[in-house]
């Protein structure tokens, strides 16, 4: 399934299409250090964990701040990002701090922020510090973006619940980066972060961009894993609404119910989807093609020896690992 280009740079767009993310240098190390100094003066000197996902400080949930990020920093960053993209507008940005000696942030998936679950939303993760596996680098599962009509909430298990441990230890990859570099990634990419074993917070900025014609929305969850979208463009809303934890919907414009399939996967199905590298689209789910292929292979006697060989290989691998 083809998709419209988002990034003007062809090499970056190729990386986004193939992996679901691209790494780009937005600021020099000196510029990043200057921005970091502004941010460090803006947020608490010793930020504490306040994000519902755990493991970090998020200025969105800091009730003492007038804005989530200094206005001049946000405006400059969004303008720079918009100039790199085709038909996208910046929604806003926030400060994230991987607090000193914080543990790993578990792999998770963001909820949609438009009324159309098929829309490709972009997330910018800009680091203001050099980061690696011991200092809060981002962890990603390449090609895991938009493979399911599944909306993750804080009250339901993720679609990868049956193989979450293997996902964390075997399939997620960390991305070492220098201060001033950013990861531009699909909003739905499975991601987390490495622990920060340093004695100071690792600071980064997260920015969101959506297609120009799409409203920016929050989701309200109803019983039965049903989600309704409400537009919040230009409005100040209760931060709890951003995590479907409660809050008032008064004054927000409803934008419709999202097409949520709420599918769960086995590890085999998930890895097949990663290899297929196709996005969901109206009337098309890659998982249907994967499951049809698995069913066809399982019913074909000619492929029985392949299945048996695969079982033997996995058994030998597990034996060697436990030895």
């Amino acid at each position: 399934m083809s998709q419209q280009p988002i990034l003007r740079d062809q090499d970056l767009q190729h990386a986004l299409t193939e992996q679901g993310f691209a790494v780009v240098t937005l600021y020099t190390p000196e510029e990043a250090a200057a921005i970091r100094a502004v941010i460090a003066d803006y947020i608490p000197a010793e930020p504490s964990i306040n994000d519902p996902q755990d493991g970090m400080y998020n200025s969105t949930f800091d009730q003492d701040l007038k804005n989530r990020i200094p206005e001049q920093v946000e405006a400059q960053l969004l303008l720079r990002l918009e100039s790199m993209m085709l038909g996208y507008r910046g929604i806003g940005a926030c400060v994230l701090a991987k607090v000193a000696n914080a543990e790993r942030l578990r792999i998770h998936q963001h909820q949609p922020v438009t009324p159309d679950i098929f829309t490709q939303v972009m997330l910018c993760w800009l680091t203001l510090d050099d980061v690696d596996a011991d200092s809060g680098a981002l962890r990603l599962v390449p090609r895991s973006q938009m493979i399911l009509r599944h909306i993750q909430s804080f009250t339901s298990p993720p679609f990868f619940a049956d193989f979450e441990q293997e996902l964390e230890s075997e399939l997620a990859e960390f991305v070492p980066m220098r201060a001033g570099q950013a990861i531009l990634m699909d909003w739905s990419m499975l991601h987390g972060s490495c622990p920060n074993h340093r004695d100071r917070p690792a600071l980064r900025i997260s920015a969101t961009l959506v297609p120009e014609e799409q409203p920016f929305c929050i989701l309200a969850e109803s019983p039965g894993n049903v989600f309704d979208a409400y537009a919040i463009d230009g409005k100040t809303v209760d931060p709890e609404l951003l995590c479907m934890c409660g809050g008032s919907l008064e004054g927000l414009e409803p934008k419709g119910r999202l097409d949520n399939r709420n599918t769960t996967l086995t590890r085999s199905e998930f890895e097949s989807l990663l290899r297929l590298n196709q996005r969901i689209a109206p009337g098309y789910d890659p998982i249907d093609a994967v499951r049809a292929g698995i069913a066809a292979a399982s019913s074909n006697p000619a492929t029985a020896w392949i299945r048996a060989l695969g079982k033997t290989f996995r058994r030998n691998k597990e034996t060697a690992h436990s030895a």
Side-chain angles (χ1 to χ4, degrees), residues 29-50:
E30 295 76 19
E31 291 171 329
I35 296 172
R36 192 189 195 287
V38 172
I39 296 297
D41 285 340
Y42 187 73
I43 64 174
E46 296 184 6
S48 57
I49 295 173
N50 68 350

Side-chain angles (χ1 to χ4, degrees), residues 37-100:
V38 172
I39 296 297
D41 285 340
Y42 187 73
I43 64 174
E46 296 184 6
S48 57
I49 295 173
N50 68 350
D51 189 277
Q53 294 280 8
D54 203 13
M56 65 181 176
Y57 164 89
N58 187 331
S59 64
T60 299
F61 304 104
D62 190 332
Q63 299 292 343
D64 294 330
L65 295 182
K66 179 180 178 182
N67 299 305
R68 294 183 296 177
I69 186 172
E71 292 181 355
Q72 70 274 23
V73 174
E74 179 181 55
Q76 181 190 60
L77 174 60
L78 293 182
L79 184 63
R80 189 164 299 194
L81 291 171
E82 288 172 346
S83 70
M84 299 172 61
M85 299 185 185
L86 297 166
Y88 274 66
R89 63 188 179 96
I91 294 300
C94 65
V95 177
L96 304 178
K98 188 76 175 183
V99 303

Side-chain angles (χ1 to χ4, degrees), residues 283-295:
Y284 175 75
D285 271 9
I287 186 58
D288 294 332
V290 166
R291 287 176 173 169
I294 292 174

Side-chain angles (χ1 to χ4, degrees), residues 170 314-323:
E170 300 177 29
R314 286 193 296 272
R315 185 165 56 249
N316 291 342
K317 184 178 179 181
E318 290 169 357
T319 301
H321 182 73
S322 60

Side-chain angles (χ1 to χ4, degrees), residues 249-263:
L249 296 170
E250 184 178 355
L252 301 183
E253 180 184 357
K255 289 293 184 178
R257 181 156 291 175
L258 275 69
D259 184 20
N260 180 33
R261 191 173 181 179
N262 195 27
T263 304

